[in-house]
Amino acid sequence: DTAVSQTPKYLVTQMGNDKSIKCEQNLGHDTMYWYKQDSKKFLKIMFSYNNKELIINETVPNRFSPKSPDKAHLNLHINSLELGDSAVYFCASSQGRERAGELFFGEGSRLTVL
Amino acid sequence: GNSVTQMEGPVTLSEEAFLTINCTYTATGYPSLFWYVQYPGEGLQLLLKATKADDKGSNKGFEATYRKETTSFHLEKGSVQVSDSAVYFCALSGSGGYQKVTFGTGTKLQVIP
């Protein structure tokens, strides 16, 4: 059983389109995250939810909108895609304040905007 | 704010060579420190961690010691294998509340037979 699973794994789309990436974790964790990894492997946090409540919201264009229907799911919707949005997006989860740094990552969703 | 600096790669070593990847950090308070590894085409995996000064984290032959006096958390392995080829990320998590994890820029390791 995959602990943190994301879909789709690959996404190729045109500029201006809207797309969504879904994430689910079966670890029973209470906190979930979205990270963006650029072509140089630099990893940047975008959002974090704890029990469906937004707790971290970095400086991200408002074209990006996360949504957490329950603590096991965190989705990312991106409007009006731009070339610079091309990256690998990773979902992650962790459990509790004391172990917030122990992240479990999904395999990533590679987004290519043409 | 918090920051992590790690040595630039790529690092290329022969099998059975000794590995050191340097990592230093800047943080207020008492952060926890981590090393993550990313194999090609995969997500990051936690490799080891240390939560207080002088703690040594270890896993799969890798070790790192939390040095508060030098604000460092260098990753070492005595004898690398081809299967260790990956990108290694040093990271820290601040103390208190839900702190975001700050990652270094990653160091690519290539081990050749």
Side-chain angles (χ1 to χ4, degrees):
Chain A
D1 261 354
T2 304
V4 180
S5 58
Q6 311 177 212
T7 54
K9 192 166 183 178
Y10 299 98
L11 198 50
V12 181
T13 189
Q14 300 287 330
M15 261 194 325
N17 284 349
D18 303 337
K19 290 294 177 187
S20 292
I21 307 172
K22 296 186 175 184
C23 178
E24 175 181 5
Q25 55 95 1
N26 63 7
L27 297 167
H29 289 169
D30 58 7
T31 308
M32 296 184 71
Y33 311 79
W34 278 113
Y35 280 85
K36 178 181 180 181
Q37 186 175 50
D38 64 22
S39 58
K40 297 189 176 182
K41 300 290 188 184
F42 182 69
L43 207 60
K44 178 178 159 53
I45 190 168
M46 301 173 70
F47 304 103
S48 177
Y49 274 76
N50 175 254
N51 281 321
K52 303 192 295 177
E53 179 187 348
L54 183 66
I55 56 171
I56 295 174
N57 185 359
E58 290 294 284
T59 307
V60 175
N62 58 15
R63 298 181 294 104
F64 290 79
S65 51
K67 186 170 285 187
S68 181
D70 56 61
K71 74 172 192 176
H73 296 84
L74 179 62
N75 303 324
L76 182 66
H77 187 74
I78 316 171
N79 288 327
S80 304
L81 279 157
E82 300 177 358
L83 293 177
D85 298 332
S86 296
V88 181
Y89 292 85
F90 285 100
C91 178
S93 69
S94 67
Q95 177 59 31
R97 291 172 185 264
E98 296 302 318
R99 305 183 75 167
E102 296 178 37
L103 299 169
F104 289 75
F105 283 84
E107 292 193 338
S109 297
R110 181 176 293 276
L111 172 64
T112 302
V113 182
L114 304 175
Chain B
N2 297 338
S3 67
V4 175
T5 302
Q6 61 182 105
M7 61 190 284
E8 283 196 34
V11 174
T12 302
L13 294 173
S14 297
E15 211 166 16
E16 298 183 4
F18 185 86
L19 169 71
T20 300
I21 300 178
N22 291 336
C23 171
T24 57
Y25 67 90
T26 302
T28 54
Y30 304 94
S32 295
L33 302 175
F34 308 87
W35 277 100
Y36 282 83
V37 58
Q38 185 178 25
Y39 298 104
E42 298 184 11
L44 282 73
Q45 303 172 28
L46 179 62
L47 180 59
L48 53 83
K49 68 174 184 178
T51 56
K52 61 183 187 297
D54 300 325
D55 267 2
K56 178 187 280 189
S58 61
N59 186 24
K60 299 181 182 178
F62 291 89
E63 292 183 340
T65 301
Y66 189 148
R67 301 282 188 203
K68 193 163 177 65
E69 64 277 11
T70 54
T71 61
S72 65
F73 193 55
H74 304 320
L75 182 69
E76 296 182 334
K77 186 175 186 184
S79 175
V80 292
Q81 305 300 312
V82 172
S83 57
D84 294 326
S85 298
V87 181
Y88 292 82
F89 293 87
C90 186
L92 72 81
S93 176
S95 53
Y98 279 100
Q99 298 278 339
K100 65 181 180 181
V101 177
T102 300
F103 285 89
T105 51
T107 302
K108 183 174 183 178
L109 170 67
Q110 183 177 13
V111 180
I112 52 178

